[in-house]
Amino acid sequence: MSTDEKQAVRPPSYGAGAPDKDAFTGRNGVPLYTRNGNQNDYRTYEVYQRERVKEATDKIRPIQLISPEFIKDPYPVLEILRENYPFYRDWLGNSFWVTRYDDVTSIFTDDANFETRPKRWFYGIEDLGRDLGQEVPVLTAQAARIDANVARIAAEIVDGFRANGGADLAIDFAARLPLELLACVLDLPKEDFPTFVDRYWRMQRGAMWEPKSRQAGLGAIQELVEYFRPILAARRARPGDDLLSAIAGLDLEDGPATAEDVVVTLLEQDHETLHGGIANMWLQLMTHPEQLDLVKRERRMVKFAWLETLRHSTPVVTANRFSRHEVERFGRLIPIGALLHCSAAAANRDPRQYKEPDRFIVGRKDLCQREPRGQYRADGLPAGLAFGLGKPTRHPAVPEDRPRSLYALCRDTATTASNVLLEALPDLRLKPGATPALRSLRLGEMHTCWHLPVVF
Amino acid sequence: MDSVTSFLSTIVENADKPNEGNAPSSATHAPRAQSVSAHDFPLMPVGEAYDMGHAPDGTPLIDPRIFNSAEFYRNPYPYYKIMRDHYPVFFDKLHNCYYVTRYDDITTCYFDDEGFNTIPKGSSSGVLGNTQLELSGVEHRRRRNLYGQHLVGKSLDNRMHAIESIAEEMIADWDNLDESVVQDRNGVRSVAIGKAFANEFPIRVVCDVLGFPKESRKNFFYWYNSMMSGLGGSETHHQGLEARQDLEDYVGTLVEERRAHPTYLYDAAGNPIGKDIISKLCETQIDGDYLSTEEITSNIALVVGGGGETTRGAILNMWYLLLQHPQQLEAVLEDPEAMWDVAFHETLRHSTPIGGQPRHNSFDIELHGVKIPAGSLVNMVDFSANHDDRIFNDPEAFNIFRPDLYSGKLLRSGFRKEGKCSHMAFGVGPHLCPGAWISHQEAVIGSKILQRHLKNPRLNVDKMPKDFDGSLMPIGLISAKEVWIDYDLE
């Protein structure tokens, strides 16, 4: 084989002047794949794969992290990780687990080295539309409409089951409230509500590893786009004070907002923390009567119950961060693109931060009692990581006309709604014999209470 | 409004029900094997894939939990077929990795050792140590040749008689084995060919080739078993590390001895024909410096690891498959000189003991429309390449007479000759298994010698493990668990 022929088969070298797009040919001379990276990306992947020699992680098997027991109750397994392997290399899931409070927050504040990928990425539809959830008019419209309606909607929901003498707080109240609020914020016609809920849930549940749900979710996204297209046009023509009108009225650099943008905005937000947080808070209050009495006596404690719930039983167990480049953390070299499972559930029970972390104590002294706004140590105290796992708000707290962050909005919503419930049903208590528990429906989904039968 | 409440309740209730994303149904095929994984899929007839749902355009879906299931371990090929046909690059979001499943793609990627780097350092997590498995380019070639040269060509020819005598010795020992391995009834002997021969034979050969003293053989099994079952992330990882330490201590003293007094291999007549591998490594220099004991240990650990399980699987699978296809067995027994080689290659194509190799891509690439960011874990599935019907006609059939499989002398730097493709059991390209040649010789020589002793061999179906429907257990991934052979004693 002459030198020229060799050149034809081998890819060009990656020295200076090499093209940064490089087709590599397969057996038949057909280009098989292209390399899109440039020469600076080249890395032999030898250094950063070097692991700690002699480290044996024999207290845990990686299969436990996807087992049915873990889906129901992740805390025991997470405790093993946190106390023994704080930065655990999961060979099965090809990922790392971060479980201590300081470690998790350090990864979350480090946007230079790590990124949170949007749900669109998991769906593979990055180009569908823009996420407008951080635009000031959108946040303002959302907050205004929620503040105006949350008490009324909560009261309506309670009235719906008050006559029954009993209810399932998880389904009838906690799961329902965020959806009704969302429909109210969007100002959707009442008759569309059931279809909307169905599509919304399918969309939210599909951005995961499960292929059937993903198909269903993609279908739901398409349906929602078609559904919002005429509504958005109508709101643009005749704006109201709702979220859709706010989106329609945005003055954006690359063209006016489309129905796709609306759906993407809805996809990237979610109801999980509000839904799961309310359900979990009421589960804890129902199963801790002394805490419930405290909350009943002093209504301002509802807010602290909410904060403690987000710490003690966060509905969001883990959030995924990806390394943006090769970076050393916790004594290990993390390769580019590595997946880090940052576990809020483990961090929130970290005994280095909280005394008796497994106990539910409303008003505990070692928990930050303010809205952390994406910081993790306001007042020098740690906050429960639940929202911190999402995108911190882009807007500073001052000047005062800035919209409240979603953390604050959610906290106020949950507090108001729970106060309504306490007012309406003063002798609310757990149905005798009921043993409610937390669980996820599926690996990676929110960890919450799905059945909370109560009587009043 | 009640429709919303009932919708939510349905979601919760269905969480535990089959086919709703939590636990697939077992209703269709009632009897199931004992659970080996967290996620159970129903056992399907061999060659038939469990229906994991379809996209609107009819494309079958792959539920990534299948890769952890017992069903997949015994019946992987229909799932790989779905992947080859519909997802030539499959992104498994649960395990955060990519699978490449077509023959052409895999061979191309294997040859591109700049674009695809080899297994991650940590995957052997200190058990195997720093070996050339984890290197590329010149650095890889240099280290590989350190001992690779002792496993091929003239060095290999010199070892043939030693391999033969080990096999003869082991078979002669059958008269002394207990009932759980060898049973004599009415002039018929039943032998568990795995326990009585295949499990130990390759390890003894490796032991001999390396130049370990005979008395270390017992430790050798300990090192081998512990290290192989103790690779990264497994339950027995710490045992693997202990075994590695033990091996290192032992090899350390051995190396000190051999540096001063090298030992030799001898031919049939008792004449020295060359130093054993440890003695050779002791006098090997890189960049003008002798190899450290740590490096020698790592190289030895790699030979220890590579030389056992794979050849064992090849011998067991070959006999298992041939005994199930008597016409092919007959053809082999009639012309052993030519046909054992052919049977060996077809066995490795049909049932490979090594599933494939992980790679990491150095660049962002796009393969079959799937974008793979730099640094991703990309699994090259050799199992699937060997059953790719774009290359091999009727790939699920075991057929030693197949015209489209290259089964001549192993190709050192290619996978295609005379218009035929080779199987992928040893990989291709720069990281082609350096033990391929010796493994081939072990399996073929071992089988020829077995053939001389086993008169009228047939499967003892009663003693063999059964599938859920009562038929013989398929080989599935890796190798047959145990093969019982009956033969006539004169």
Side-chain angles (χ1 to χ4, degrees):
Chain A
M1 192 189 261
S2 76
T3 323
D4 288 349
E5 278 172 309
K6 265 187 186 168
Q7 283 298 323
V9 179
R10 296 293 302 158
S13 77
Y14 292 91
D20 55 11
K21 287 223 172 194
D22 178 13
F24 198 84
T25 46
R27 181 162 61 96
N28 309 321
V30 181
L32 182 64
Y33 57 85
T34 50
R35 291 169 172 174
N36 301 324
N38 65 40
Q39 48 175 315
N40 297 327
D41 292 338
Y42 180 73
R43 193 72 175 76
T44 62
Y45 284 83
E46 282 164 12
V47 178
Y48 38 73
Q49 306 297 346
R50 198 179 286 279
E51 295 286 314
R52 294 169 190 163
V53 176
K54 305 283 160 75
E55 182 193 74
T57 52
D58 50 298
K59 291 197 170 80
I60 190 152
R61 289 186 307 146
I63 193 97
Q64 284 175 271
L65 293 161
I66 56 172
S67 66
E69 296 76 40
F70 184 80
I71 295 170
K72 289 207 166 119
D73 182 9
Y75 287 100
V77 172
L78 289 175
E79 186 180 343
I80 296 175
L81 288 186
R82 189 184 60 226
E83 300 310 321
N84 298 285
Y85 319 113
F87 191 53
Y88 176 68
R89 179 73 163 100
D90 174 359
W91 288 106
L92 185 65
N94 187 30
S95 55
F96 299 89
W97 285 77
V98 192
T99 39
R100 288 189 184 164
Y101 188 91
D102 283 342
D103 297 350
V104 170
T105 52
S106 78
I107 299 293
F108 267 98
T109 45
D110 188 354
D111 282 340
N113 295 313
F114 300 95
E115 64 188 3
T116 305
R117 293 192 181 155
K119 286 186 201 150
R120 322 203 264 301
W121 182 82
F122 291 95
Y123 261 125
I125 50 168
E126 288 102 318
D127 304 332
L128 184 68
R130 295 163 285 183
D131 177 9
L132 306 173
Q134 292 273 321
E135 302 291 332
V136 173
V138 174
L139 284 171
T140 315
Q142 188 180 18
R145 254 188 111 75
I146 287 182
D147 287 343
N149 294 295
V150 59
R152 176 182 60 80
I153 289 175
E156 277 174 18
I157 294 175
V158 174
D159 285 341
F161 57 72
R162 193 208 289 263
N164 301 347
D168 184 346
L169 272 193
I171 292 287
D172 296 340
F173 187 72
R176 197 176 186 101
L177 181 73
L179 297 169
E180 297 246 16
L181 270 177
L182 186 58
C184 167
V185 163
L186 296 168
D187 198 11
L188 298 181
K190 257 204 156 36
E191 63 273 18
D192 291 352
F193 185 56
T195 351
F196 174 73
V197 166
D198 172 51
R199 288 167 177 166
Y200 180 80
W201 264 76
R202 268 194 288 147
M203 174 174 81
Q204 288 294 353
R205 295 190 89 194
M208 302 264 292
W209 52 270
E210 219 267 325
K212 267 192 217 168
S213 315
R214 183 170 174 275
Q215 293 298 330
L218 284 170
I221 287 172
Q222 211 47 54
E223 290 166 29
L224 280 171
V225 169
E226 295 312 321
Y227 171 70
F228 278 119
R229 209 183 295 285
I231 301 184
L232 191 69
R235 301 283 161 88
R236 189 167 279 135
R238 196 177 307 160
D241 61 348
D242 58 302
L243 187 83
L244 288 176
S245 306
I247 289 180
L250 284 176
D251 181 22
L252 297 165
E253 272 175 23
D254 37 358
T258 62
E260 283 85 356
D261 297 338
V262 173
V263 175
V264 167
T265 308
L266 286 180
L267 171 66
E268 298 302 343
Q269 290 184 1
D270 61 59
H271 61 284
E272 290 196 350
T273 313
L274 188 57
H275 168 176
I278 295 178
N280 293 1
M281 176 169 91
W282 279 99
L283 165 72
Q284 298 302 347
L285 288 178
M286 290 292 114
T287 50
H288 295 81
E290 75 290 349
Q291 309 281 342
L292 180 63
D293 288 342
L294 178 73
V295 168
K296 275 184 185 162
R297 269 202 315 277
E298 283 190 69
R299 281 304 168 76
R300 66 178 186 93
M301 298 305 278
V302 174
K303 179 181 125 185
F304 301 133
W306 169 254
L307 293 175
E308 172 67 351
T309 302
L310 292 188
R311 183 201 70 80
H312 180 270
S313 354
T314 168
V316 186
V317 175
T318 50
N320 297 337
R321 296 276 278 177
F322 292 85
S323 57
R324 298 177 63 185
H325 38 251
E326 179 186 282
V327 56
E328 190 180 343
R329 280 292 178 283
F330 317 120
R332 267 211 171 106
L333 268 164
I334 305 174
I336 181 174
L339 168 60
L340 278 74
H341 297 292
C342 300
S343 177
N348 285 341
R349 305 270 185 108
D350 189 343
R352 292 157 199 80
Q353 304 298 331
Y354 305 107
K355 258 186 225 149
E356 301 183 86
D358 292 334
R359 282 187 58 199
F360 179 78
I361 305 169
V362 174
R364 63 159 62 230
K365 293 286 177 274
D366 49 9
L367 178 72
C368 172
Q369 302 189 334
R370 290 197 299 140
E371 170 224 335
R373 211 177 184 89
Q375 296 172 26
Y376 304 102
R377 281 186 186 281
D379 297 339
L381 290 170
L385 301 179
F387 290 112
L389 298 176
K391 223 173 349 186
T393 177
R394 215 168 61 187
H395 308 291
V398 286
E400 281 185 5
D401 63 343
R402 295 281 88 172
R404 273 180 299 166
S405 75
L406 285 179
Y407 320 136
L409 191 58
C410 245
R411 177 200 60 202
D412 295 346
T413 307
T415 316
T416 314
S418 299
N419 269 322
V420 169
L421 194 63
L422 278 173
E423 296 281 352
L425 310 168
D427 65 337
L428 195 61
R429 60 197 184 281
L430 197 62
K431 187 177 178 189
T435 51
L438 299 176
R439 64 165 295 185
S440 298
L441 294 183
R442 205 183 279 164
L443 187 64
E445 289 196 344
M446 70 171 153
H447 190 242
T448 188
C449 171
W450 293 98
H451 284 299
L452 184 58
V454 292
V455 290
F456 36 79
Chain B
M1 286 307 200
D2 278 329
S3 62
V4 172
T5 309
S6 69
F7 164 77
L8 291 169
S9 307
T10 317
I11 287 178
V12 181
E13 274 147 30
N14 283 342
D16 287 324
K17 289 219 181 110
N19 292 326
E20 284 300 324
N22 263 20
S25 161
S26 63
T28 39
H29 296 279
R32 60 158 81 184
Q34 82 279 23
S35 154
V36 295
S37 76
H39 301 290
D40 263 338
F41 284 78
L43 298 183
M44 300 294 289
V46 170
E48 216 175 284
Y50 172 68
D51 184 354
M52 291 173 281
H54 295 266
D57 64 356
T59 313
L61 301 176
I62 293 278
D63 186 326
R65 288 171 302 176
I66 191 81
F67 301 121
N68 301 118
S69 69
E71 156 69 359
F72 189 75
Y73 272 78
R74 59 176 271 290
N75 182 27
Y77 295 108
Y79 302 99
Y80 283 137
K81 182 167 171 51
I82 295 177
M83 287 158 78
R84 280 196 307 275
D85 291 348
H86 300 281
Y87 312 94
V89 178
F90 178 71
F91 180 26
D92 173 352
K93 286 183 183 171
L94 183 64
H95 301 94
N96 192 30
C97 62
Y98 296 80
Y99 292 92
V100 176
T101 41
R102 286 189 191 163
Y103 189 97
D104 278 350
D105 300 345
I106 295 176
T107 48
T108 311
C109 295
Y110 273 160
F111 272 104
D112 180 9
D113 67 340
E114 265 175 342
F116 290 90
N117 277 281
T118 44
I119 66 166
K121 282 267 191 246
S123 69
S124 53
S125 291
V127 174
L128 288 185
N130 188 9
T131 65
Q132 83 277 359
L133 273 188
E134 296 151 355
L135 301 172
S136 328
V138 180
E139 205 49 27
H140 163 256
R141 270 202 301 285
R142 226 154 53 152
R143 276 166 201 281
R144 178 189 150 105
N145 288 344
L146 282 184
Y147 71 84
Q149 59 182 322
H150 304 302
L151 301 176
V152 294
K154 186 108 178 31
S155 319
L156 178 57
D157 292 343
N158 285 337
R159 298 182 203 288
M160 292 296 199
H161 96 274
I163 296 178
E164 282 168 14
S165 56
I166 290 172
E168 291 287 4
E169 201 180 296
M170 289 190 69
I171 294 173
D173 200 35
W174 283 0
D175 294 333
N176 309 324
L177 293 177
D178 67 37
E179 279 276 294
S180 66
V181 184
V182 177
Q183 296 173 357
D184 292 343
R185 300 261 188 292
N186 309 328
V188 176
R189 174 174 276 186
S190 306
V191 56
I193 203 74
K195 282 187 197 131
F197 184 77
N199 295 4
E200 278 194 37
F201 172 61
I203 300 181
R204 285 202 197 187
V205 171
V206 168
C207 202
D208 184 71
V209 165
L210 283 171
F212 274 67
K214 273 213 166 56
E215 60 272 18
S216 73
R217 193 181 284 158
K218 229 174 97 191
N219 284 344
F220 202 95
F221 296 126
Y222 157 67
W223 295 324
Y224 172 77
N225 291 329
S226 306
M227 284 167 58
M228 282 302 98
S229 60
L231 291 179
S234 59
E235 270 171 290
T236 47
H237 187 189
H238 61 295
Q239 292 167 15
L241 293 175
E242 281 166 20
R244 156 84 190 189
Q245 189 58 50
D246 198 55
L247 175 68
E248 212 165 308
D249 296 344
Y250 181 78
V251 172
T253 43
L254 205 59
V255 164
E256 292 316 310
E257 270 171 39
R258 298 283 163 90
R259 284 199 204 272
H261 309 286
T263 48
Y264 293 82
L265 295 170
Y266 300 91
D267 66 9
N271 305 312
I273 49 177
K275 290 174 183 162
D276 55 55
I277 289 187
I278 296 183
S279 300
K280 286 258 190 191
L281 288 175
C282 286
E283 61 185 36
T284 305
Q285 290 182 317
I286 292 191
D287 299 335
D289 213 353
Y290 288 104
L291 287 180
S292 71
T293 308
E294 198 279 331
E295 282 171 299
I296 295 178
T297 314
S298 293
N299 277 309
I300 289 171
L302 188 60
V303 179
V304 167
E309 182 60 29
T310 47
T311 312
R312 166 196 177 271
I315 297 174
L316 275 184
N317 289 354
M318 181 153 69
W319 279 90
Y320 192 32
L321 287 166
L322 283 173
L323 288 166
Q324 290 182 72
H325 297 85
Q327 284 175 343
Q328 300 185 32
L329 179 64
E330 201 175 308
V332 171
L333 297 185
E334 268 168 23
D335 184 8
E337 283 314 310
M339 293 309 283
W340 275 114
D341 291 327
V342 178
F344 175 75
H345 287 292
E346 172 61 1
T347 301
L348 289 193
R349 187 203 64 78
H350 184 274
S351 297
T352 318
I354 293 280
Q357 297 295 325
R359 291 285 187 267
H360 291 264
N361 52 325
S362 312
F363 310 90
D364 289 347
I365 61 165
E366 188 167 333
L367 180 55
H368 291 293
V370 180
K371 287 178 184 148
I372 312 181
S376 301
L377 174 59
V378 187
N379 288 314
M380 308 288 170
V381 189
D382 296 348
F383 279 129
S384 172
N386 282 338
H387 283 238
D388 189 347
D389 52 13
R390 290 156 195 79
I391 304 293
F392 301 113
N393 189 31
D394 190 12
E396 309 304 330
F398 177 76
N399 176 11
I400 60 171
F401 308 113
R402 67 170 56 246
D404 45 12
L405 175 69
Y406 173 76
S407 49
K409 195 168 180 297
L410 277 167
L411 300 171
R412 196 183 275 270
S413 57
F415 52 89
R416 227 175 126 78
K417 200 176 180 186
E418 301 153 11
K420 302 169 177 183
C421 287
S422 64
H423 62 78
M424 296 278 286
F426 295 120
V428 296
H431 285 269
L432 171 69
C433 172
W437 293 270
I438 193 167
S439 165
H440 181 179
Q441 290 309 328
E442 281 174 43
V444 168
I445 292 175
S447 295
K448 280 179 190 164
I449 293 173
L450 278 177
Q451 175 192 345
R452 282 211 292 278
H453 290 85
L454 307 186
K455 293 219 166 49
N456 185 21
R458 64 262 179 198
L459 277 182
N460 185 331
V461 176
D462 297 339
K463 288 193 163 65
M464 299 286 292
K466 299 292 190 301
D467 204 0
F468 72 94
D469 59 0
S471 59
L472 281 173
M473 195 66 168
I475 293 176
L477 298 180
I478 317 300
S479 63
K481 299 289 165 290
E482 187 57 273
V483 178
W484 281 87
I485 300 181
D486 282 0
Y487 67 97
D488 300 332
L489 295 160
E490 299 313 317

